[in-house]
Amino acid sequence: MADSPVLSPAETLTRVDAVSEALARHRYIGSSRIATVVYLAVHLQKPVLVEGPPGVGKTELAKTVAAMLELPLIRLQCYEGLDEAKALYEWKYGKQLLYIQVLKDKIDDALGGARGLRESVERLHGYDDIFFSEDFLEARPLLKALREPQGSVLLLDEIDKSDEEFEALLLEMLSDYQVTVPEIGTIRAAGTPPIVFLTSNNTRDVSDALKRRCLHLYIPFPEPALEQQIIETRVPEITAALRRQLVAFVQGLREMDLRKPPAISETIDWARTLLLLNVDTLDEAWVRDTLNVLLKFEDDVEAVSSQLPTLLRRVNG
């Protein structure tokens, strides 16, 4: 059967199945629900709140959509204390001071004929707008995303690590794709509004006001068949037998009471590790020596090590 024709970015967005195929061509293997939400986000011009455990492909989804649609990716890593100076805009104070020094000699001309301090101050107020204009505005990620005339993908990564004050700052942008700079006024999207993805690892609940403005997508750990498909896409050199074994082993780990169960990203790293070590079948020695690739806490490594014979019997059964 002939391969499906490669669609342009615009054609990609005409159908949900076309979105799914385009994501797969860019090596992002996901459920039909993911493709549906991407399709709706573009056509409804709604941001997407993507929740789920760490490492299941939330950030990768935004990066893949940007590549798929050939749009710039603008990323903001969220953290506690994030404010508008880092997220939205700030003034180029150095440039303002430089211009003040250059224009210092012109102050006498500007104040010529002024009667008293009050009139001098009033005249100087007339120059305020010069130094608080677009020429002195430093755009940060939110404002940069609005200024892309052909659109962009804006990734607000790990929104749950930010403060509620920052969430409040986002509400205007996520509702109307505009921001307000008090000294200048309202700045709206230059052309096509950005496609916005907010990711959350559920370390805290985001506000209801933020959730109301977003489409919601939860990405869980994948089912075995889907995870095998992901490994086949990302590590195609690995054999089908070993791929089945390692996915079954990882799925077994996720059933255990671990501090951090291995995510898709760890499964991919483990597959690459086994390939690099020329492993063609799982055995206890190789698994024990490479558990640190899958597990990030020593408590988890020790718990799994004691259960290795049982886990491997299930994998090979």
Side-chain angles (χ1 to χ4, degrees):
M1 184 174 65
D3 292 338
S4 301
V6 176
L7 303 179
S8 69
E11 292 172 325
T12 294
L13 298 172
T14 57
R15 308 183 316 274
V16 172
D17 61 338
V19 173
S20 183
E21 292 168 7
L23 289 171
R25 280 198 301 274
H26 285 79
R27 303 203 309 163
Y28 190 94
I29 308 300
S31 65
S32 60
R33 178 181 296 179
I34 292 175
T36 301
V37 169
V38 171
Y39 177 85
L40 293 175
V42 174
H43 289 281
L44 297 178
Q45 294 186 350
K46 297 271 286 184
V48 182
L49 174 61
V50 190
E51 297 183 307
V56 293
K58 302 184 297 295
T59 300
E60 194 66 25
L61 176 61
K63 293 163 67 175
T64 303
V65 170
M68 180 181 81
L69 300 179
E70 299 177 5
L71 293 174
L73 174 70
I74 299 174
R75 180 174 180 173
L76 177 62
Q77 182 65 46
C78 298
Y79 56 88
E80 187 177 352
L82 179 63
D83 59 13
E84 66 180 15
K86 297 297 183 184
L88 182 53
Y89 75 95
E90 66 177 339
W91 295 106
K92 300 177 183 177
Y93 297 114
K95 186 176 180 181
Q96 288 172 329
L97 290 172
L98 176 63
Y99 272 58
I100 288 171
Q101 291 296 321
V102 171
L103 298 175
K104 186 166 60 175
D105 295 337
K106 302 296 183 180
I107 291 179
D108 290 340
D109 296 338
L111 299 181
R115 297 178 181 178
L117 179 61
R118 181 178 297 276
E119 188 174 342
S120 297
V121 171
E122 289 175 354
R123 288 195 182 189
L124 287 174
H125 280 323
Y127 293 90
D128 285 352
D129 292 342
I130 296 174
F131 291 99
F132 289 95
S133 63
E134 290 276 359
D135 293 333
F136 295 93
L137 190 66
E138 182 71 46
R140 296 304 184 193
L142 299 184
L143 189 52
K144 284 181 181 178
L146 289 179
R147 285 181 159 175
E148 288 289 342
Q150 304 304 317
S152 62
V153 173
L154 174 62
L155 170 60
L156 304 177
D157 214 8
E158 297 186 317
I159 188 68
D160 52 324
K161 289 187 177 178
S162 65
D163 304 315
E164 293 181 2
E165 290 79 5
F166 177 67
E167 286 188 27
L169 175 68
L170 289 176
L171 298 183
E172 180 185 12
M173 169 148 182
L174 298 183
S175 295
D176 303 312
Y177 294 104
Q178 67 180 37
V179 294
T180 299
V181 179
E183 297 86 349
I184 293 178
T186 300
I187 301 175
R188 295 177 174 83
T192 304
I195 303 169
V196 184
F197 290 90
L198 304 91
T199 72
S200 170
N201 294 331
N202 296 320
T203 58
R204 72 169 178 87
D205 290 334
V206 299
S207 67
D208 290 342
L210 186 65
K211 284 191 172 184
R212 282 198 305 271
R213 286 162 171 79
C214 300
L215 299 173
H216 181 261
L217 174 64
Y218 184 85
I219 303 179
F221 290 125
E223 296 295 322
L226 180 59
E227 191 158 21
Q228 285 201 48
Q229 192 177 352
I230 292 170
I231 299 303
E232 184 178 10
T233 301
R234 292 304 182 101
V235 194
E237 303 88 353
I238 202 165
T239 65
L242 182 57
R243 183 171 63 245
R244 180 194 63 77
Q245 285 183 318
L246 70 88
V247 167
F249 184 82
V250 170
Q251 293 276 331
L253 294 186
R254 292 186 189 134
E255 296 175 2
M256 297 179 64
D257 184 20
L258 302 177
R259 289 180 63 184
K260 185 185 181 303
I264 300 172
S265 54
E266 279 89 31
T267 309
I268 294 170
D269 287 342
W270 197 39
R272 289 171 175 160
T273 298
L274 297 176
L275 185 66
L276 182 64
L277 295 173
N278 297 313
V279 176
D280 53 13
T281 188
L282 288 188
D283 62 41
E284 187 171 337
W286 280 121
V287 173
R288 196 178 297 278
D289 288 344
T290 58
L291 268 180
N292 60 308
V293 178
L294 281 174
L295 304 173
K296 307 304 180 182
F297 292 95
E298 186 60 26
D299 292 348
D300 289 346
V301 172
E302 292 176 0
V304 171
S305 294
S306 65
Q307 298 294 320
L308 271 185
T310 301
L311 287 166
L312 288 172
R313 277 197 299 272
R314 289 177 56 186
V315 167
N316 296 316

